Amino acid sequence: MPQRPEDGPHGRIYMATSVLIADDDPSISRALSFLMQREGHEVRTVTDGEQALAAIEMQPPDVVLLDIMMPKGNGYEICRTLRANPSYDGVRIVMLTAKGGEADQRVGMALGADAYISKPFAIGEVVSCVKDVLARRRGRTAPPERARRPKAGAANA
């Protein structure tokens, strides 16, 4: 189970890493939720930008899987808002989008996203990406994830 260390009153304790899934497509949200739970993460889901910001404010996650095209605040706006607030520096942002163009990827990364995955994506790609951004959060080096097309036979999630 992926865990993050935290200092408690009796020494260091380990907590499950948390993932917030912000996507308005219920089938993608369910698939990602199942996948992240299977990997041992604590998971919450929201369906629009306002809910995403409220959930992050209430309990900042370790990673946000953030769809770009959502109602009530798109992923770019959410990313910009989070990166403008130093309180959320530890939150890793993985942009998920059907907008797989290079220009769209550059915008997301320029706004402060830690990784960018184009839909449709392979299940293993999401797992690997979350591991990579968590490793970078903990100070270990990992190559940045970049948008890429899935190989033949990859799952559409």
Side-chain angles (χ1 to χ4, degrees), residues 74-93:
N74 67 46
Y76 293 137
E77 294 166 354
I78 308 291
C79 187
R80 182 182 297 114
T81 299
L82 294 178
R83 291 304 180 232
N85 185 337
S87 299
Y88 302 123
D89 283 351
V91 175
R92 298 291 137 237
I93 301 170

Side-chain angles (χ1 to χ4, degrees), residues 32 35-36 38-39 41 63 65 94 114-115 117 121-136 142-146 148:
L32 288 171
L35 177 65
M36 292 295 105
R38 188 183 75 186
E39 291 296 311
H41 301 290
V63 178
L65 298 178
V94 177
D114 296 284
I117 299 177
F121 47 78
I123 297 300
E125 181 179 18
V126 178
V127 170
S128 176
C129 181
V130 169
K131 285 179 183 175
D132 286 350
V133 298
L134 285 170
R136 281 185 267 148
E145 187 71 25
R146 296 289 180 219
R148 56 185 179 226

Side-chain angles (χ1 to χ4, degrees), residues 22-65:
D23 198 308
D24 61 328
D25 183 324
S27 61
I28 290 176
S29 193
R30 273 193 307 272
L32 288 171
S33 182
F34 173 79
L35 177 65
M36 292 295 105
Q37 287 173 348
R38 188 183 75 186
E39 291 296 311
H41 301 290
E42 182 180 289
V43 177
R44 294 178 291 153
T45 61
V46 296
T47 58
D48 66 44
E50 287 178 0
Q51 291 175 1
L53 287 173
I56 293 164
E57 184 177 320
M58 184 172 30
Q59 182 182 354
D62 296 299
V63 178
V64 178
L65 298 178

